Amino acid sequence: MNRRVIAALLVLVLVCSVCATPTLASDDRSSAYIDSASASIKTGTYSGQIKLSYAVYSAIGSADRIGVSKIQVYNSSGSLYNTILGTVTNGLVATHTISHSGNYTLNCVAGNSYYCVVTFFVSDSTGGDTCTITTNTATAHS
Amino acid sequence: MEKNKQQLQHNYDSAFLALLMDEYAEQLGEKVLREYEQTEASSDADDSLDAACEEIIRSSKTVRENGHRIKKTLGKVGVVAAVIAILFALLIGAQAVGVDVFGTLARWTGEVFKFRVDDEAAYSEPQADRENDMQKMLESLDMPVELAPTWIPEGYALVNIKEVNTDACFGAYAVFKSGNHHINIEITEYCTATDLNCLEMQMDDITPEEYMSRGKTFYLFTNTDYWRGAWSEGRFVISLSGFPSKEMMLRVIDSIGEVSYE
């Protein structure tokens, strides 16, 4: 292959790779309260069910309150289907602990596909922070 | 001025003549050598060419041939180097945008740190070994105990350890405290690649560094200026966070055992 062509390709690829990183880097989402979090969904056990599995880890040791503050369920087309608020009663929020994890069953329309936007939070007497995770898409049990 | 011009012309003529003579001598030598070789092959005649002359001509040919060979080799090496450079650049570009190259690939966006796993690689459980609180919990979860660090910085004591167990993942999360400061260690096994892909670690807007320890590549970055490290292989994830110095975290990383897959 012509050396000039190779050189031009090399320059092009290097420029593209250098440009790619700054394009992706946007808002700083560091958190003094939240260490990490995960949320994913699967087809549930019974008709119309989807099961959400979640975990959130405190960055401040034992948090006063930690867990899921909100689950927004979206149709795969992007329209909001349902919103669930987290409480200690429904098990989505825990108190005085270093992490909180669990499974939560969502009732949807059988055979339809959904994804969730899950909002996590960690707080203590000094303040708190939130973060959101968009899950994968799963189909409600038919 | 005219004198200098004449001198230059004279030097040029001399050099040109020397070049012609050299070329002629070389051609003549080669011709004699060919005739000699033909004569020797057909009639086994006595050596009629001076041995020293023959040696000089042969070495002259060898040098020239070697020169051609070196030029050809350098050309090939240049092409190979260019191809490697392009592949390397593509790899960096692909990694930056999160395209999976090796099956397990780290992706960072300046917001959160994520591992991306596309393949459900089969693996077997490594052999279990030994024994601190994290190791005990990993053992109870049937996870490889080698994943737990065996060294914790001086002054830090375990204040809390909690089992995580959902339909998506299971593992141990431990918090060690020294004064008002604490470090966190999370060791998790995810049930599927999809579950692992939904894990996000908070981070500052920096490009992670890579650090290799006992066959594991850790990604090092910070969250609110405290150091954290993350490793993933198969569906295992180790996350270390809250370290005031990188050196302290690297010592903890170095104490994590090598996991041998059968």
Side-chain angles (χ1 to χ4, degrees):
Chain A
M1 197 186 294
N2 189 318
R3 284 181 187 174
R4 284 182 182 174
V5 175
I6 292 173
L9 278 174
L10 193 61
V11 169
L12 183 70
V13 169
L14 285 172
V15 168
C16 288
S17 61
V18 167
C19 290
T21 307
T23 305
L24 289 170
S26 51
D27 300 333
D28 179 353
R29 238 172 64 184
S30 58
S31 174
Y33 292 87
I34 299 171
D35 183 82
S36 60
S38 66
S40 59
I41 58 172
K42 292 178 173 68
T43 300
T45 311
Y46 300 107
S47 180
Q49 287 187 344
I50 280 177
K51 191 176 275 185
L52 167 73
S53 299
Y54 64 89
V56 56
Y57 303 89
S58 163
I60 54 170
S62 184
D64 286 353
R65 289 170 65 81
I66 181 171
V68 176
S69 62
K70 188 169 64 177
I71 303 167
Q72 291 171 296
V73 185
Y74 288 88
N75 287 303
S76 55
S77 61
S79 60
L80 183 64
Y81 172 74
N82 195 9
T83 300
I84 297 113
L85 298 179
T87 64
V88 174
T89 309
N90 66 16
L92 291 171
V93 177
T95 57
H96 306 294
T97 185
I98 58 171
S99 68
H100 186 50
S101 61
N103 303 304
Y104 189 84
T105 299
L106 302 161
N107 292 306
C108 304
V109 177
N112 284 6
S113 293
Y114 300 88
Y115 67 90
C116 296
V117 176
V118 182
T119 305
F120 292 97
F121 78 102
V122 173
S123 66
D124 69 0
S125 57
T126 64
D129 202 359
T130 63
C131 73
T132 59
I133 289 183
T134 302
T135 69
N136 56 305
T137 300
T139 305
H141 197 290
S142 51
Chain B
M1 187 69 175
E2 186 60 32
K3 197 178 175 184
N4 285 343
K5 199 174 174 185
Q6 282 174 356
Q7 183 62 41
L8 277 172
Q9 185 64 44
H10 174 71
N11 288 347
Y12 173 78
D13 290 339
S14 300
F16 187 64
L17 184 63
L19 197 67
L20 285 176
M21 286 176 71
D22 188 37
E23 189 132 305
Y24 175 73
E26 195 176 348
Q27 284 174 358
L28 189 65
E30 279 184 340
K31 188 182 172 192
V32 171
L33 179 61
R34 273 198 303 275
E35 284 171 358
Y36 163 71
E37 283 172 341
Q38 281 169 2
T39 308
E40 189 180 47
S42 60
S43 63
D44 287 338
D46 288 337
D47 191 354
S48 61
L49 187 67
D50 179 70
C53 180
E54 181 187 348
E55 186 58 35
I56 289 165
I57 293 167
R58 281 188 194 284
S59 61
S60 163
K61 278 181 76 178
T62 308
V63 167
R64 220 158 26 150
E65 283 165 5
N66 283 346
H68 287 309
R69 233 175 274 139
I70 289 167
K71 273 185 182 176
K72 274 186 179 178
T73 310
L74 281 176
K76 285 177 185 171
V77 168
V79 171
V80 171
V83 169
I84 290 170
I86 289 171
L87 287 175
F88 185 67
L90 281 171
L91 198 64
I92 294 169
Q95 180 152 324
V97 298
V99 175
D100 182 15
V101 181
F102 298 117
T104 300
L105 190 68
R107 183 171 61 170
W108 57 92
T109 65
E111 296 181 0
V112 290
F113 185 89
K114 299 180 70 165
F115 286 106
R116 186 168 178 89
V117 181
D118 286 340
D119 109 38
E120 300 280 348
Y123 59 88
S124 55
E125 294 292 339
Q127 296 299 306
D129 193 13
R130 241 339 28 189
E131 247 349 75
N132 55 40
D133 287 327
M134 274 208 102
Q135 288 174 326
K136 285 177 189 169
M137 186 169 279
L138 295 183
E139 198 168 17
S140 72
L141 292 166
D142 204 20
M143 290 174 69
V145 296
E146 291 89 345
L147 296 177
T150 55
W151 183 84
I152 297 299
E154 279 183 29
Y156 285 85
L158 180 70
V159 291
N160 209 331
I161 183 166
K162 193 170 176 184
E163 183 182 321
V164 175
N165 204 337
T166 73
D167 284 358
C169 66
F170 53 95
Y173 185 56
V175 175
F176 299 82
K177 196 168 183 181
S178 172
N180 288 327
H181 184 254
H182 48 257
I183 55 177
N184 315 303
I185 299 173
E186 177 194 340
I187 303 170
T188 313
E189 182 174 352
Y190 285 82
C191 299
T192 67
T194 302
D195 296 323
L196 199 162
N197 290 339
C198 291
L199 165 70
E200 293 189 356
M201 300 177 192
Q202 307 307 112
M203 68 180 291
D204 296 328
D205 189 4
I206 65 164
T207 301
E209 303 169 21
E210 288 186 18
Y211 177 72
M212 177 72 87
S213 175
R214 298 195 184 186
K216 296 185 188 68
T217 301
F218 275 82
Y219 294 90
L220 314 180
F221 46 102
T222 58
N223 177 32
T224 59
D225 296 330
Y226 286 103
W227 280 95
R228 68 181 305 168
W231 165 88
S232 179
E233 188 174 306
R235 290 189 289 273
F236 293 107
V237 172
I238 298 175
S239 164
L240 312 165
S241 61
F243 288 82
S245 76
K246 184 161 74 170
E247 290 67 32
M248 181 192 280
M249 185 175 70
L250 294 184
R251 254 192 99 178
V252 175
I253 288 173
D254 289 340
S255 77
I256 295 171
E258 194 165 349
V259 180
S260 54
Y261 295 91
E262 289 174 343

PDB file of all heavy atoms in Angstrom, chain B residues 192-221:
ATOM      1  N   THR B 192     -25.587 -12.507  35.203  1.00  0.00           N
ATOM      2  CA  THR B 192     -25.483 -12.456  33.736  1.00  0.00           C
ATOM      3  C   THR B 192     -24.664 -11.228  33.343  1.00  0.00           C
ATOM      4  O   THR B 192     -24.476 -10.301  34.132  1.00  0.00           O
ATOM      5  CB  THR B 192     -26.873 -12.320  33.065  1.00  0.00           C
ATOM      6  OG1 THR B 192     -27.406 -11.035  33.403  1.00  0.00           O
ATOM      7  CG2 THR B 192     -27.833 -13.411  33.511  1.00  0.00           C
ATOM      8  N   ALA B 193     -24.243 -11.247  32.098  1.00  0.00           N
ATOM      9  CA  ALA B 193     -23.510 -10.093  31.574  1.00  0.00           C
ATOM     10  C   ALA B 193     -24.392  -8.845  31.590  1.00  0.00           C
ATOM     11  O   ALA B 193     -23.929  -7.737  31.871  1.00  0.00           O
ATOM     12  CB  ALA B 193     -23.034 -10.391  30.153  1.00  0.00           C
ATOM     13  N   THR B 194     -25.684  -9.019  31.312  1.00  0.00           N
ATOM     14  CA  THR B 194     -26.622  -7.882  31.323  1.00  0.00           C
ATOM     15  C   THR B 194     -26.663  -7.246  32.705  1.00  0.00           C
ATOM     16  O   THR B 194     -26.654  -6.019  32.838  1.00  0.00           O
ATOM     17  CB  THR B 194     -28.030  -8.358  30.931  1.00  0.00           C
ATOM     18  OG1 THR B 194     -27.956  -8.949  29.640  1.00  0.00           O
ATOM     19  CG2 THR B 194     -29.027  -7.207  30.915  1.00  0.00           C
ATOM     20  N   ASP B 195     -26.699  -8.082  33.741  1.00  0.00           N
ATOM     21  CA  ASP B 195     -26.721  -7.550  35.110  1.00  0.00           C
ATOM     22  C   ASP B 195     -25.452  -6.753  35.399  1.00  0.00           C
ATOM     23  O   ASP B 195     -25.505  -5.681  36.005  1.00  0.00           O
ATOM     24  CB  ASP B 195     -26.866  -8.699  36.116  1.00  0.00           C
ATOM     25  CG  ASP B 195     -28.196  -9.423  35.974  1.00  0.00           C
ATOM     26  OD1 ASP B 195     -29.205  -8.743  35.696  1.00  0.00           O
ATOM     27  OD2 ASP B 195     -28.227 -10.650  36.138  1.00  0.00           O
ATOM     28  N   LEU B 196     -24.309  -7.304  34.967  1.00  0.00           N
ATOM     29  CA  LEU B 196     -23.039  -6.606  35.221  1.00  0.00           C
ATOM     30  C   LEU B 196     -22.992  -5.272  34.476  1.00  0.00           C
ATOM     31  O   LEU B 196     -22.485  -4.278  34.988  1.00  0.00           O
ATOM     32  CB  LEU B 196     -21.868  -7.486  34.799  1.00  0.00           C
ATOM     33  CG  LEU B 196     -20.484  -7.163  35.379  1.00  0.00           C
ATOM     34  CD1 LEU B 196     -19.549  -8.345  35.232  1.00  0.00           C
ATOM     35  CD2 LEU B 196     -19.851  -5.948  34.765  1.00  0.00           C
ATOM     36  N   ASN B 197     -23.559  -5.270  33.282  1.00  0.00           N
ATOM     37  CA  ASN B 197     -23.540  -4.032  32.498  1.00  0.00           C
ATOM     38  C   ASN B 197     -24.363  -2.914  33.139  1.00  0.00           C
ATOM     39  O   ASN B 197     -24.238  -1.750  32.772  1.00  0.00           O
ATOM     40  CB  ASN B 197     -24.065  -4.300  31.079  1.00  0.00           C
ATOM     41  CG  ASN B 197     -23.088  -5.142  30.279  1.00  0.00           C
ATOM     42  OD1 ASN B 197     -21.908  -5.198  30.604  1.00  0.00           O
ATOM     43  ND2 ASN B 197     -23.579  -5.806  29.255  1.00  0.00           N
ATOM     44  N   CYS B 198     -25.236  -3.276  34.087  1.00  0.00           N
ATOM     45  CA  CYS B 198     -26.075  -2.264  34.752  1.00  0.00           C
ATOM     46  C   CYS B 198     -25.449  -1.754  36.053  1.00  0.00           C
ATOM     47  O   CYS B 198     -26.122  -1.107  36.852  1.00  0.00           O
ATOM     48  CB  CYS B 198     -27.465  -2.834  35.020  1.00  0.00           C
ATOM     49  SG  CYS B 198     -28.404  -3.108  33.500  1.00  0.00           S
ATOM     50  N   LEU B 199     -24.177  -2.074  36.278  1.00  0.00           N
ATOM     51  CA  LEU B 199     -23.447  -1.554  37.446  1.00  0.00           C
ATOM     52  C   LEU B 199     -22.784  -0.234  37.076  1.00  0.00           C
ATOM     53  O   LEU B 199     -22.155  -0.134  36.016  1.00  0.00           O
ATOM     54  CB  LEU B 199     -22.378  -2.561  37.887  1.00  0.00           C
ATOM     55  CG  LEU B 199     -21.307  -2.041  38.841  1.00  0.00           C
ATOM     56  CD1 LEU B 199     -21.886  -1.752  40.228  1.00  0.00           C
ATOM     57  CD2 LEU B 199     -20.153  -3.033  38.951  1.00  0.00           C
ATOM     58  N   GLU B 200     -22.922   0.763  37.925  1.00  0.00           N
ATOM     59  CA  GLU B 200     -22.258   2.046  37.697  1.00  0.00           C
ATOM     60  C   GLU B 200     -21.528   2.489  38.950  1.00  0.00           C
ATOM     61  O   GLU B 200     -22.079   2.442  40.047  1.00  0.00           O
ATOM     62  CB  GLU B 200     -23.275   3.123  37.291  1.00  0.00           C
ATOM     63  CG  GLU B 200     -23.909   2.855  35.933  1.00  0.00           C
ATOM     64  CD  GLU B 200     -24.754   4.019  35.421  1.00  0.00           C
ATOM     65  OE1 GLU B 200     -24.909   5.015  36.144  1.00  0.00           O
ATOM     66  OE2 GLU B 200     -25.258   3.901  34.296  1.00  0.00           O
ATOM     67  N   MET B 201     -20.261   2.887  38.775  1.00  0.00           N
ATOM     68  CA  MET B 201     -19.458   3.381  39.892  1.00  0.00           C
ATOM     69  C   MET B 201     -19.273   4.881  39.749  1.00  0.00           C
ATOM     70  O   MET B 201     -18.911   5.361  38.670  1.00  0.00           O
ATOM     71  CB  MET B 201     -18.091   2.696  39.896  1.00  0.00           C
ATOM     72  CG  MET B 201     -18.160   1.191  40.024  1.00  0.00           C
ATOM     73  SD  MET B 201     -16.522   0.459  39.940  1.00  0.00           S
ATOM     74  CE  MET B 201     -16.962  -1.267  39.752  1.00  0.00           C
ATOM     75  N   GLN B 202     -19.472   5.610  40.821  1.00  0.00           N
ATOM     76  CA  GLN B 202     -19.331   7.061  40.762  1.00  0.00           C
ATOM     77  C   GLN B 202     -17.853   7.417  40.607  1.00  0.00           C
ATOM     78  O   GLN B 202     -16.982   6.757  41.187  1.00  0.00           O
ATOM     79  CB  GLN B 202     -19.890   7.714  42.023  1.00  0.00           C
ATOM     80  CG  GLN B 202     -21.313   7.299  42.354  1.00  0.00           C
ATOM     81  CD  GLN B 202     -22.269   7.493  41.190  1.00  0.00           C
ATOM     82  OE1 GLN B 202     -22.770   6.532  40.612  1.00  0.00           O
ATOM     83  NE2 GLN B 202     -22.517   8.732  40.833  1.00  0.00           N
ATOM     84  N   MET B 203     -17.583   8.448  39.829  1.00  0.00           N
ATOM     85  CA  MET B 203     -16.183   8.813  39.588  1.00  0.00           C
ATOM     86  C   MET B 203     -16.050  10.292  39.233  1.00  0.00           C
ATOM     87  O   MET B 203     -17.013  10.930  38.802  1.00  0.00           O
ATOM     88  CB  MET B 203     -15.598   7.972  38.444  1.00  0.00           C
ATOM     89  CG  MET B 203     -16.196   8.290  37.084  1.00  0.00           C
ATOM     90  SD  MET B 203     -15.502   7.286  35.747  1.00  0.00           S
ATOM     91  CE  MET B 203     -13.843   7.932  35.646  1.00  0.00           C
ATOM     92  N   ASP B 204     -14.831  10.811  39.446  1.00  0.00           N
ATOM     93  CA  ASP B 204     -14.519  12.165  38.994  1.00  0.00           C
ATOM     94  C   ASP B 204     -14.318  12.137  37.479  1.00  0.00           C
ATOM     95  O   ASP B 204     -14.166  11.069  36.885  1.00  0.00           O
ATOM     96  CB  ASP B 204     -13.241  12.672  39.679  1.00  0.00           C
ATOM     97  CG  ASP B 204     -13.422  12.805  41.178  1.00  0.00           C
ATOM     98  OD1 ASP B 204     -14.553  13.101  41.605  1.00  0.00           O
ATOM     99  OD2 ASP B 204     -12.445  12.603  41.920  1.00  0.00           O
ATOM    100  N   ASP B 205     -14.293  13.308  36.895  1.00  0.00           N
ATOM    101  CA  ASP B 205     -14.143  13.407  35.450  1.00  0.00           C
ATOM    102  C   ASP B 205     -12.670  13.265  35.067  1.00  0.00           C
ATOM    103  O   ASP B 205     -11.994  14.234  34.723  1.00  0.00           O
ATOM    104  CB  ASP B 205     -14.699  14.757  34.977  1.00  0.00           C
ATOM    105  CG  ASP B 205     -14.759  14.825  33.465  1.00  0.00           C
ATOM    106  OD1 ASP B 205     -14.446  13.814  32.819  1.00  0.00           O
ATOM    107  OD2 ASP B 205     -15.119  15.886  32.944  1.00  0.00           O
ATOM    108  N   ILE B 206     -12.170  12.028  35.177  1.00  0.00           N
ATOM    109  CA  ILE B 206     -10.776  11.778  34.797  1.00  0.00           C
ATOM    110  C   ILE B 206     -10.717  10.504  33.956  1.00  0.00           C
ATOM    111  O   ILE B 206     -11.655   9.718  33.951  1.00  0.00           O
ATOM    112  CB  ILE B 206      -9.847  11.612  36.028  1.00  0.00           C
ATOM    113  CG1 ILE B 206     -10.240  10.353  36.825  1.00  0.00           C
ATOM    114  CG2 ILE B 206      -9.865  12.836  36.907  1.00  0.00           C
ATOM    115  CD1 ILE B 206      -9.163   9.931  37.797  1.00  0.00           C
ATOM    116  N   THR B 207      -9.612  10.330  33.279  1.00  0.00           N
ATOM    117  CA  THR B 207      -9.404   9.094  32.515  1.00  0.00           C
ATOM    118  C   THR B 207      -8.729   8.073  33.422  1.00  0.00           C
ATOM    119  O   THR B 207      -7.663   8.347  33.974  1.00  0.00           O
ATOM    120  CB  THR B 207      -8.503   9.368  31.295  1.00  0.00           C
ATOM    121  OG1 THR B 207      -9.149  10.347  30.489  1.00  0.00           O
ATOM    122  CG2 THR B 207      -8.294   8.099  30.489  1.00  0.00           C
ATOM    123  N   PRO B 208      -9.347   6.903  33.600  1.00  0.00           N
ATOM    124  CA  PRO B 208      -8.750   5.904  34.485  1.00  0.00           C
ATOM    125  C   PRO B 208      -7.370   5.448  34.007  1.00  0.00           C
ATOM    126  O   PRO B 208      -7.104   5.403  32.812  1.00  0.00           O
ATOM    127  CB  PRO B 208      -9.748   4.741  34.426  1.00  0.00           C
ATOM    128  CG  PRO B 208     -11.025   5.348  34.011  1.00  0.00           C
ATOM    129  CD  PRO B 208     -10.652   6.458  33.077  1.00  0.00           C
ATOM    130  N   GLU B 209      -6.534   5.110  34.991  1.00  0.00           N
ATOM    131  CA  GLU B 209      -5.240   4.514  34.676  1.00  0.00           C
ATOM    132  C   GLU B 209      -5.398   3.006  34.780  1.00  0.00           C
ATOM    133  O   GLU B 209      -6.286   2.524  35.473  1.00  0.00           O
ATOM    134  CB  GLU B 209      -4.175   4.925  35.722  1.00  0.00           C
ATOM    135  CG  GLU B 209      -3.977   6.395  35.887  1.00  0.00           C
ATOM    136  CD  GLU B 209      -3.118   6.688  37.130  1.00  0.00           C
ATOM    137  OE1 GLU B 209      -2.384   5.797  37.598  1.00  0.00           O
ATOM    138  OE2 GLU B 209      -3.214   7.815  37.624  1.00  0.00           O
ATOM    139  N   GLU B 210      -4.510   2.279  34.134  1.00  0.00           N
ATOM    140  CA  GLU B 210      -4.528   0.821  34.268  1.00  0.00           C
ATOM    141  C   GLU B 210      -3.386   0.381  35.169  1.00  0.00           C
ATOM    142  O   GLU B 210      -2.306   0.969  35.146  1.00  0.00           O
ATOM    143  CB  GLU B 210      -4.377   0.162  32.902  1.00  0.00           C
ATOM    144  CG  GLU B 210      -5.614   0.307  32.042  1.00  0.00           C
ATOM    145  CD  GLU B 210      -5.504  -0.472  30.741  1.00  0.00           C
ATOM    146  OE1 GLU B 210      -4.646  -1.366  30.652  1.00  0.00           O
ATOM    147  OE2 GLU B 210      -6.271  -0.162  29.833  1.00  0.00           O
ATOM    148  N   TYR B 211      -3.640  -0.646  35.976  1.00  0.00           N
ATOM    149  CA  TYR B 211      -2.604  -1.187  36.851  1.00  0.00           C
ATOM    150  C   TYR B 211      -2.725  -2.707  36.862  1.00  0.00           C
ATOM    151  O   TYR B 211      -3.793  -3.241  37.157  1.00  0.00           O
ATOM    152  CB  TYR B 211      -2.778  -0.633  38.270  1.00  0.00           C
ATOM    153  CG  TYR B 211      -1.788  -1.201  39.269  1.00  0.00           C
ATOM    154  CD1 TYR B 211      -0.447  -0.835  39.224  1.00  0.00           C
ATOM    155  CD2 TYR B 211      -2.196  -2.107  40.244  1.00  0.00           C
ATOM    156  CE1 TYR B 211       0.463  -1.351  40.137  1.00  0.00           C
ATOM    157  CE2 TYR B 211      -1.294  -2.627  41.168  1.00  0.00           C
ATOM    158  CZ  TYR B 211       0.031  -2.244  41.113  1.00  0.00           C
ATOM    159  OH  TYR B 211       0.923  -2.763  42.000  1.00  0.00           O
ATOM    160  N   MET B 212      -1.635  -3.368  36.524  1.00  0.00           N
ATOM    161  CA  MET B 212      -1.654  -4.824  36.444  1.00  0.00           C
ATOM    162  C   MET B 212      -1.087  -5.419  37.729  1.00  0.00           C
ATOM    163  O   MET B 212      -0.012  -5.032  38.172  1.00  0.00           O
ATOM    164  CB  MET B 212      -0.802  -5.267  35.247  1.00  0.00           C
ATOM    165  CG  MET B 212      -0.688  -6.756  35.089  1.00  0.00           C
ATOM    166  SD  MET B 212      -2.211  -7.529  34.524  1.00  0.00           S
ATOM    167  CE  MET B 212      -2.013  -7.363  32.763  1.00  0.00           C
ATOM    168  N   SER B 213      -1.844  -6.322  38.340  1.00  0.00           N
ATOM    169  CA  SER B 213      -1.371  -6.981  39.543  1.00  0.00           C
ATOM    170  C   SER B 213      -1.817  -8.437  39.524  1.00  0.00           C
ATOM    171  O   SER B 213      -3.005  -8.722  39.420  1.00  0.00           O
ATOM    172  CB  SER B 213      -1.944  -6.284  40.783  1.00  0.00           C
ATOM    173  OG  SER B 213      -1.588  -6.992  41.955  1.00  0.00           O
ATOM    174  N   ARG B 214      -0.864  -9.328  39.591  1.00  0.00           N
ATOM    175  CA  ARG B 214      -1.133 -10.773  39.624  1.00  0.00           C
ATOM    176  C   ARG B 214      -2.118 -11.204  38.543  1.00  0.00           C
ATOM    177  O   ARG B 214      -3.110 -11.896  38.814  1.00  0.00           O
ATOM    178  CB  ARG B 214      -1.654 -11.187  40.988  1.00  0.00           C
ATOM    179  CG  ARG B 214      -0.652 -10.927  42.107  1.00  0.00           C
ATOM    180  CD  ARG B 214      -1.069 -11.681  43.329  1.00  0.00           C
ATOM    181  NE  ARG B 214      -0.208 -11.400  44.460  1.00  0.00           N
ATOM    182  CZ  ARG B 214      -0.284 -12.020  45.614  1.00  0.00           C
ATOM    183  NH1 ARG B 214      -1.198 -12.937  45.812  1.00  0.00           N
ATOM    184  NH2 ARG B 214       0.530 -11.726  46.593  1.00  0.00           N
ATOM    185  N   GLY B 215      -1.870 -10.750  37.367  1.00  0.00           N
ATOM    186  CA  GLY B 215      -2.680 -11.167  36.231  1.00  0.00           C
ATOM    187  C   GLY B 215      -4.009 -10.440  36.108  1.00  0.00           C
ATOM    188  O   GLY B 215      -4.799 -10.761  35.225  1.00  0.00           O
ATOM    189  N   LYS B 216      -4.256  -9.469  36.987  1.00  0.00           N
ATOM    190  CA  LYS B 216      -5.515  -8.730  36.906  1.00  0.00           C
ATOM    191  C   LYS B 216      -5.233  -7.282  36.498  1.00  0.00           C
ATOM    192  O   LYS B 216      -4.327  -6.653  37.037  1.00  0.00           O
ATOM    193  CB  LYS B 216      -6.226  -8.696  38.261  1.00  0.00           C
ATOM    194  CG  LYS B 216      -6.663 -10.034  38.783  1.00  0.00           C
ATOM    195  CD  LYS B 216      -7.452  -9.809  40.081  1.00  0.00           C
ATOM    196  CE  LYS B 216      -7.754 -11.107  40.748  1.00  0.00           C
ATOM    197  NZ  LYS B 216      -6.532 -11.760  41.263  1.00  0.00           N
ATOM    198  N   THR B 217      -6.036  -6.765  35.592  1.00  0.00           N
ATOM    199  CA  THR B 217      -5.908  -5.353  35.226  1.00  0.00           C
ATOM    200  C   THR B 217      -6.945  -4.545  35.989  1.00  0.00           C
ATOM    201  O   THR B 217      -8.144  -4.703  35.790  1.00  0.00           O
ATOM    202  CB  THR B 217      -6.112  -5.158  33.718  1.00  0.00           C
ATOM    203  OG1 THR B 217      -5.141  -5.943  33.027  1.00  0.00           O
ATOM    204  CG2 THR B 217      -5.942  -3.696  33.334  1.00  0.00           C
ATOM    205  N   PHE B 218      -6.468  -3.725  36.883  1.00  0.00           N
ATOM    206  CA  PHE B 218      -7.350  -2.826  37.641  1.00  0.00           C
ATOM    207  C   PHE B 218      -7.391  -1.474  36.946  1.00  0.00           C
ATOM    208  O   PHE B 218      -6.392  -1.020  36.395  1.00  0.00           O
ATOM    209  CB  PHE B 218      -6.821  -2.636  39.069  1.00  0.00           C
ATOM    210  CG  PHE B 218      -7.252  -3.714  40.020  1.00  0.00           C
ATOM    211  CD1 PHE B 218      -6.566  -4.918  40.069  1.00  0.00           C
ATOM    212  CD2 PHE B 218      -8.337  -3.540  40.858  1.00  0.00           C
ATOM    213  CE1 PHE B 218      -6.961  -5.927  40.936  1.00  0.00           C
ATOM    214  CE2 PHE B 218      -8.741  -4.537  41.723  1.00  0.00           C
ATOM    215  CZ  PHE B 218      -8.044  -5.738  41.767  1.00  0.00           C
ATOM    216  N   TYR B 219      -8.540  -0.832  36.985  1.00  0.00           N
ATOM    217  CA  TYR B 219      -8.681   0.537  36.505  1.00  0.00           C
ATOM    218  C   TYR B 219      -8.683   1.451  37.727  1.00  0.00           C
ATOM    219  O   TYR B 219      -9.444   1.219  38.673  1.00  0.00           O
ATOM    220  CB  TYR B 219      -9.966   0.696  35.686  1.00  0.00           C
ATOM    221  CG  TYR B 219      -9.896  -0.097  34.415  1.00  0.00           C
ATOM    222  CD1 TYR B 219     -10.338  -1.412  34.368  1.00  0.00           C
ATOM    223  CD2 TYR B 219      -9.331   0.460  33.268  1.00  0.00           C
ATOM    224  CE1 TYR B 219     -10.229  -2.158  33.192  1.00  0.00           C
ATOM    225  CE2 TYR B 219      -9.229  -0.270  32.099  1.00  0.00           C
ATOM    226  CZ  TYR B 219      -9.682  -1.576  32.069  1.00  0.00           C
ATOM    227  OH  TYR B 219      -9.571  -2.309  30.910  1.00  0.00           O
ATOM    228  N   LEU B 220      -7.808   2.429  37.714  1.00  0.00           N
ATOM    229  CA  LEU B 220      -7.637   3.321  38.865  1.00  0.00           C
ATOM    230  C   LEU B 220      -8.185   4.702  38.513  1.00  0.00           C
ATOM    231  O   LEU B 220      -7.838   5.262  37.472  1.00  0.00           O
ATOM    232  CB  LEU B 220      -6.158   3.442  39.231  1.00  0.00           C
ATOM    233  CG  LEU B 220      -5.335   2.149  39.296  1.00  0.00           C
ATOM    234  CD1 LEU B 220      -3.888   2.471  39.667  1.00  0.00           C
ATOM    235  CD2 LEU B 220      -5.930   1.168  40.293  1.00  0.00           C
ATOM    236  N   PHE B 221      -9.012   5.240  39.368  1.00  0.00           N
ATOM    237  CA  PHE B 221      -9.555   6.585  39.146  1.00  0.00           C
ATOM    238  C   PHE B 221      -9.966   7.151  40.506  1.00  0.00           C
ATOM    239  O   PHE B 221      -9.641   6.561  41.542  1.00  0.00           O
ATOM    240  CB  PHE B 221     -10.732   6.556  38.159  1.00  0.00           C
ATOM    241  CG  PHE B 221     -11.756   5.477  38.400  1.00  0.00           C
ATOM    242  CD1 PHE B 221     -12.972   5.772  39.006  1.00  0.00           C
ATOM    243  CD2 PHE B 221     -11.520   4.162  38.034  1.00  0.00           C
ATOM    244  CE1 PHE B 221     -13.930   4.793  39.221  1.00  0.00           C
ATOM    245  CE2 PHE B 221     -12.464   3.170  38.262  1.00  0.00           C
ATOM    246  CZ  PHE B 221     -13.661   3.479  38.852  1.00  0.00           C
TER     247      PHE B 221
END
